[in-house]
Amino acid sequence: DQQVKQNSPSLSVQEGRISILNCDYTNSMFDYFLWYKKYPAEGPTFLISISSIKDKNEDGRFTVFLNKSAKHLSLHIVPSQPGDSAVYFCAARISARQLTFGSGTQLTVLP
Amino acid sequence: IAGITQAPTSQILAAGRRMTLRCTQDMRHNAMYWYRQDLGLGLRLIHYSNTAGTTGKGEVPDGYSVSRANTDDFPLTLASAVPSQTSVYFCASSELGGKNEQFFGPGTRLTVL
């Protein structure tokens, strides 16, 4: 049973528009959430994170929103750029324990 | 260059053979991890180590073993490879606690025939 779910395997967005990637979780004990970005033939790289005590965290073009009542988080990329095309993984953890990853969403930003 | 190195980059292996995937980090991180990435399943934790001398089982540990003799190295061994172990394997490291931001190596693509 997947505790972290990314239900959209792929997403295509026009350059300059907003990309919204979604992630749902089932375990209410998760207290920290992270987004990773992965290019082909490379390892994932950390992008942005949010603590469960917050509902929003922003870093440049990237914003993560957390809705604890819905057990849902989303990553917004504004404006989207072709270089943002990659697989995005959301991940969650309980206290200082290991991360649980979602299955990933392939984002394609069209020029 | 600081980071994580993995070897080999790729490998084709006959079923039943023994294989060790190597992972070395130079960031002096306490914790290290092994994941496998499979299409539609994301990253699944195989084994982890919170500090040198200790290891733990992740979500999919069967058929794999690890050791952590020192801080920098965390090899993953397949004692007798099977085709279902065909995957891309990523090693990662992090500080214990805090934000647990994990840094990943470039991966090893393993094919078991």
Side-chain angles (χ1 to χ4, degrees):
Chain A
D1 180 34
Q2 280 190 301
Q3 296 190 66
V4 178
K5 298 180 182 179
Q6 294 178 255
N7 293 317
S8 297
S10 62
L11 174 68
S12 292
V13 172
Q14 208 69 35
E15 181 178 5
R17 304 295 292 269
I18 184 171
S19 295
I20 300 176
L21 296 101
N22 294 304
C23 180
D24 297 297
Y25 61 95
T26 57
N27 192 335
S28 58
M29 297 297 290
F30 286 136
D31 65 353
Y32 202 77
F33 303 89
L34 306 89
W35 284 94
Y36 280 80
K37 176 179 180 179
K38 184 186 179 303
Y39 292 117
E42 295 183 9
T45 55
F46 170 75
L47 188 59
I48 192 170
S49 61
I50 187 167
S51 165
S52 61
I53 63 173
K54 296 187 176 182
D55 55 17
K56 177 183 175 181
N57 188 27
E58 192 172 354
D59 183 2
R61 296 185 297 114
F62 303 91
T63 303
V64 56
F65 295 92
L66 176 62
N67 182 334
K68 283 190 294 182
S69 61
K71 294 190 178 69
H72 177 84
L73 66 156
S74 60
L75 174 68
H76 293 212
I77 306 173
V78 183
S80 301
Q81 300 173 353
D84 295 329
S85 296
V87 177
Y88 289 79
F89 292 100
C90 70
R93 70 151 208 215
I94 301 171
S95 297
R97 291 166 62 181
Q98 292 70 40
L99 297 178
T100 300
F101 284 83
S103 55
T105 296
Q106 171 70 57
L107 173 67
T108 302
V109 180
L110 305 168
Chain B
I1 299 176
I4 297 181
T5 57
Q6 291 185 238
T9 301
S10 65
Q11 182 75 44
I12 298 174
L13 189 66
R17 298 297 295 268
R18 180 184 180 89
M19 176 74 192
T20 296
L21 308 185
R22 299 184 298 278
C23 174
T24 299
Q25 55 109 354
D26 62 3
M27 296 175 283
R28 308 303 293 173
H29 285 161
N30 291 318
M32 296 187 75
Y33 314 85
W34 274 105
Y35 294 90
R36 58 178 289 174
Q37 183 195 3
D38 302 289
L39 193 64
L41 296 175
L43 294 160
R44 293 182 294 168
L45 183 66
I46 303 170
H47 284 288
Y48 66 93
S49 169
N50 286 336
T51 189
T54 69
T55 62
K57 294 182 179 180
E59 181 185 356
V60 288
D62 294 343
Y64 306 94
S65 63
V66 291
S67 61
R68 187 89 184 275
N70 57 59
T71 298
D72 298 342
D73 300 300
F74 191 43
L76 176 74
T77 298
L78 290 68
S80 179
V82 296
S84 62
Q85 292 178 310
T86 294
S87 188
V88 181
Y89 291 85
F90 290 100
C91 180
S93 72
S94 73
E95 291 292 344
L96 262 185
K99 296 183 178 180
N100 197 24
E101 176 190 336
Q102 294 184 14
F103 295 83
F104 284 80
T108 293
R109 181 172 293 276
L110 181 67
T111 302
V112 182
L113 302 176

